Amino acid sequence: MLPGEASPLARQPARPGGLPLRQRAAAVWRLLRPYWVSEDRWRARALLALVIGTDLLRTYVAVRVNYWQRDYWDALAAHDVNAFWQLMWVFLVIICFSSVFDTARIWFFQALEMRWRAWLTEVFVGRWLDGEAYYRIARGGGVDNPDQRIGEDLQIMASDSLRLSLGMLDSLVKLFSYSVIVWSLSGSLSFALGGVGIEIPGYMLWVAVLYALSGSLLLERIGHPLVRVDYHQQRCEAHFRYLMMRVRENAEQIAFYSGGRAESVRLRAAFLAVRENWRRIMDYTKRITLFHESYIEIGAFLPLLIIGPRYFAGEITLGAVQQLTLSFSRVRGALSWFIFAYKDLALLRSVFQRLLEFEAAMARREEGGIARVRGMRPGVLRVSALTLQRPDGTPLACIGDLELRPGERWLVRGHSGAGKSTLLRALAGLWPHGSGEIAMPPGRAMFLPQRSYLPVGSLRACLCYPSDEQWFGVGECLEVLDAAGLGGLAAELEVCDDWAGRLSPGEQQRLAFARLFLHKPDWVFLDESTASLDARNESRLYEALIRRLPGASVVSVGHRAGLERFHAHALEIGADGAACIRPRPEGAQGMNT
Ligand SMILES: Nc1ncnc2c1ncn2[C@@H]1O[C@H](COP(=O)(O)OP(=O)(O)OP(=O)(O)O)[C@@H](O)[C@H]1O
């Protein structure tokens, strides 16, 4: 199954995370923690300390501005010109400090964000590409678009986790700083209830606390489905991008089929899912915004209402009214951190969900009965009681016992769909479904599929893949190119191009053989690796292979009769799935062991 199609998108949003809250929190902690205890921990912690330090300084400056405002309004009310000009100078100093702290904070924050992201990317890319997790996931590992999870989700996780947790810390500091001001200025509220006199000290602070808490609870009720909808939006967007990428990668095949219309229908359908889900996001955003805006407006009005009586009773000055109003809204703002961050939190929760799924998929080992062990007899590949199954458990082929000795060449034949490629997958350790044992001897093996992968880069990089291009000299590269009948490309060895798109399938197969000549493996597995070539070129390549790697053991999968003369042994998978060893193929004499 293809990567983006691993889990087709349902119309309804999938429900992220069925785990209980405690387990989910523990899983998120497992994602967040490793970086802070990694080899980069001291730099990370130093940068975090710098960000928190500048945050504290910024809050200190903001509190100074709060006092400054009180003095300013009192100076205006008292017509005190000297105090006015003095306050202007103070303000200038405050602005200078504030600008420096703000800039420094952004710088430290961005540096930390990128360090964390880079570390996470390194770890995730490593785990994705190690142990063939990328292959298992692509073949139906149950998660969609790993590229998006590594490229986007990790970035959101690093930046939003930092931003939101620092925002929360900042809110707590502000809450404390401004609560002190509100408490000291708001005085007591006295009233009688059922004949009993009640006095509430610092009542404005309590109003702010009650207001923010009730607002947060209400918002969680209104907006919690947004997490699920955000999660689904990311899946739809990723699927849409993936389909477009497939059009780009398969442009020629689509053009030959004149498949533009069909692709446009598919893309439209994928975008419709994006659009429909967006509608749900709009609905929830509308509710949240309506609530949010009303909450802010009422919150701005509330202190004006409750402070009036004290001002008219002459208990506080106009400057103190200003200071109290501002402090009240700061306390409310700090307490409302959850409300302001709600949408970001919803997105972050869905990102955590996606990354946890991805982690689980990478860690998952495929259940399978084929055991792959180290061969005891040097150079002998032993297959014992091997049966192959499809992933759903239905039988595919019964291979039985086989022994492939050093330098032997085997041809695997059978009708289309018999399981020939699957046998090679099992020998490569990529197919666990079935039973039996494969004892692989030490030595280097190389598997050539019908269409070999060509990485982005120079022709030399394509030729030397999977090794680094620096491992082989230019002379060696030119020589093997020539041996594979690609001498005409010698001048372009260092040219970077889309070689997978430019070379014909037959040329790509010749390039794959040139790779073999370069790497000189002990075991060669060829899965219809010459199917795109004419008979003459096929023979030339096999002859060159036998001449250049005389001691190598070769297992070829192929339908062509012309291949028989290069192989001394043949394994035939019959229509009933049973494999049997055929006698030496006709005309094999002279060319084989
Ligand atoms: N990931 C998979 N999930 C389910 N079925 C699979 C998967 N991979 C292969 N199969 C099925 O297993 C069977 C054997 O596939 P395989 O590629 O080994 O055939 P083959 O003998 O090499 O065929 P051909 O000669 O056409 O290349 C096919 O029916 C195929 O559809």
Side-chain angles (χ1 to χ4, degrees):
M1 202 175 287
L2 295 158
E5 294 164 359
S7 51
L9 297 179
R11 277 261 177 269
Q12 283 302 311
R15 189 173 163 63
L19 292 174
L21 186 67
R22 255 186 76 177
Q23 282 183 34
R24 231 182 306 162
V28 167
W29 179 239
R30 277 204 310 276
L31 268 182
L32 292 173
R33 184 174 174 273
Y35 176 62
W36 303 95
V37 291
S38 71
E39 62 292 345
D40 202 35
R41 63 186 179 279
W42 293 116
R43 276 172 190 243
R45 291 176 193 177
L47 280 170
L48 185 65
L50 284 169
V51 175
I52 294 174
T54 42
D55 268 345
L56 290 176
L57 288 170
R58 287 162 77 220
T59 304
Y60 173 75
V61 169
V63 170
R64 293 301 319 150
V65 170
N66 185 280
Y67 279 99
W68 182 91
Q69 283 199 327
R70 180 198 62 187
D71 297 343
Y72 173 79
W73 284 100
D74 284 343
L76 280 191
H79 290 90
D80 187 343
V81 179
N82 284 341
F84 174 86
W85 284 115
Q86 212 175 349
L87 282 166
M88 289 301 132
W89 283 114
V90 172
F91 196 63
L92 201 65
V93 174
I94 289 176
I95 287 175
C96 291
F97 276 109
S98 172
S99 315
V100 170
F101 296 150
D102 285 355
T103 313
R105 201 256 182 205
I106 292 173
W107 178 267
F108 296 140
F109 182 89
Q110 286 182 332
L112 178 57
E113 185 185 357
M114 185 38 92
R115 289 196 85 86
W116 192 4
R117 182 185 171 192
W119 189 87
L120 282 170
T121 306
E122 181 84 21
V123 169
F124 270 75
V125 167
R127 291 174 57 189
W128 184 42
L129 295 178
D130 283 351
E132 279 98 27
Y134 60 96
Y135 177 71
R136 284 198 309 275
I137 290 173
R139 241 188 36 220
V143 291
D144 56 276
N145 303 292
D147 46 297
Q148 186 207 20
R149 292 174 201 242
I150 292 175
E152 254 174 49
D153 292 352
L154 287 178
Q155 188 258 322
I156 296 177
M157 178 185 129
S159 102
D160 281 17
S161 309
L162 273 177
R163 198 164 50 76
L164 290 169
S165 46
L166 287 168
M168 189 168 75
L169 185 68
D170 191 42
S171 295
L172 285 174
V173 174
K174 281 199 177 102
L175 177 65
F176 178 76
S177 316
Y178 288 106
S179 292
V180 173
I181 301 174
V182 173
W183 183 271
S184 65
L185 288 178
S186 78
S188 303
L189 179 69
S190 312
F191 58 93
L193 192 70
V196 183
I198 294 178
E199 184 169 320
I200 303 175
Y203 71 101
M204 281 190 70
L205 186 60
W206 299 117
V207 172
V209 171
L210 276 179
Y211 184 69
L213 283 184
S214 51
S216 300
L217 288 175
L218 215 63
L219 187 72
E220 173 61 15
R221 272 192 82 81
I222 298 172
H224 75 91
L226 190 62
V227 178
R228 194 174 69 229
V229 180
D230 261 338
Y231 172 87
H232 192 60
Q233 187 68 21
Q234 288 170 53
R235 292 182 76 212
C236 294
E237 299 274 10
H239 185 62
F240 179 58
R241 259 202 317 269
Y242 175 70
L243 289 186
M244 290 193 289
M245 196 179 81
R246 287 199 28 96
V247 172
R248 194 185 69 199
E249 282 183 351
N250 299 289
E252 189 172 79
Q253 288 98 312
I254 294 171
F256 270 126
Y257 279 109
S258 300
R261 230 181 106 71
E263 290 306 315
S264 121
V265 170
R266 209 187 306 279
L267 283 178
R268 274 207 198 101
F271 192 73
L272 193 65
V274 171
R275 216 174 146 173
E276 276 175 3
N277 198 65
W278 184 251
R279 183 81 222 169
R280 291 190 195 106
I281 290 191
M282 280 172 69
D283 274 346
Y284 286 113
T285 310
K286 179 184 71 188
R287 288 184 217 173
I288 291 170
T289 313
L290 195 64
F291 175 83
H292 192 196
E293 291 304 315
S294 321
Y295 176 85
I296 289 181
E297 293 302 329
I298 297 172
F301 163 78
L302 212 55
L304 300 176
L305 178 76
I306 52 183
I307 207 167
R310 291 199 69 214
Y311 177 71
F312 290 119
E315 289 172 17
I316 48 175
T317 64
L318 185 63
V321 170
Q322 282 291 333
Q323 191 185 13
L324 193 51
T325 314
L326 196 76
S327 305
F328 179 90
S329 59
R330 291 265 195 265
V331 168
R332 182 184 48 75
L335 281 167
S336 314
W337 172 84
F338 178 74
I339 290 180
F340 296 130
Y342 191 81
K343 278 198 286 186
D344 293 342
L345 276 173
L347 178 70
L348 187 60
R349 275 155 73 177
S350 69
V351 162
F352 278 138
Q353 182 57 38
R354 289 172 55 77
L355 289 173
L356 287 171
E357 280 173 3
F358 186 33
E359 264 213 323
M362 289 191 292
R364 201 174 297 136
R365 292 273 156 244
E366 273 182 320
E367 294 292 312
I370 300 179
R372 213 162 174 273
V373 296
R374 249 184 111 77
M376 300 303 280
R377 291 169 57 194
V380 178
L381 195 166
R382 194 175 42 77
V383 171
S384 314
L386 182 67
T387 62
L388 301 171
Q389 294 170 351
R390 290 190 178 81
D392 63 4
T394 51
L396 187 56
C398 182
I399 305 298
D401 296 335
L402 270 183
E403 212 169 72
L404 281 68
R405 296 201 180 80
E408 283 184 355
R409 290 192 293 279
W410 284 72
L411 179 63
V412 182
R413 291 184 302 204
H415 63 90
S416 170
K420 303 180 296 295
S421 302
T422 308
L423 172 61
L424 290 201
R425 286 182 198 122
L427 293 176
L430 297 175
W431 192 268
H433 313 291
S435 61
E437 189 182 88
I438 296 172
M440 194 76 192
R444 290 197 327 142
M446 214 162 176
F447 288 78
L448 260 58
Q450 202 177 97
R451 207 182 159 94
S452 276
Y453 170 69
L454 300 184
V456 172
S458 65
L459 179 64
R460 188 171 167 194
C462 293
L463 176 64
C464 299
Y465 186 84
S467 306
D468 194 285
E469 56 190 273
Q470 306 305 330
W471 283 20
F472 303 102
V474 174
E476 250 179 310
C477 292
L478 292 177
E479 198 271 322
V480 294
L481 269 186
D482 192 45
L486 291 173
L489 292 173
E492 296 184 81
L493 191 66
E494 304 294 347
V495 173
C496 290
D497 203 342
D498 172 19
W499 290 103
R502 180 177 147 183
L503 295 181
S504 74
E507 285 173 327
Q508 291 187 34
Q509 291 192 330
R510 280 187 268 162
L511 188 66
F513 267 80
R515 243 181 223 170
L516 271 184
F517 303 157
L518 206 54
H519 286 87
K520 301 186 178 69
D522 306 300
W523 286 89
V524 179
F525 297 89
L526 304 167
D527 189 358
E528 301 188 45
S529 313
T530 48
S532 304
L533 292 169
D534 55 282
R536 201 168 64 89
N537 265 309
E538 182 177 71
S539 297
R540 277 184 51 189
L541 282 183
Y542 265 93
E543 280 160 15
L545 175 68
I546 292 166
R547 202 174 47 251
R548 289 172 162 266
L549 281 71
S553 310
V554 178
V555 179
S556 305
V557 167
H559 296 280
R560 297 232 191 114
L563 286 178
E564 288 178 353
R565 71 189 183 96
F566 301 107
H567 301 84
H569 311 269
L571 181 78
E572 181 104 24
I573 303 178
D576 58 353
C580 61
I581 299 171
R582 290 275 176 227
R584 194 180 175 90
E586 286 294 311
Q589 290 79 355
M591 281 312 297
N592 56 62
T593 52

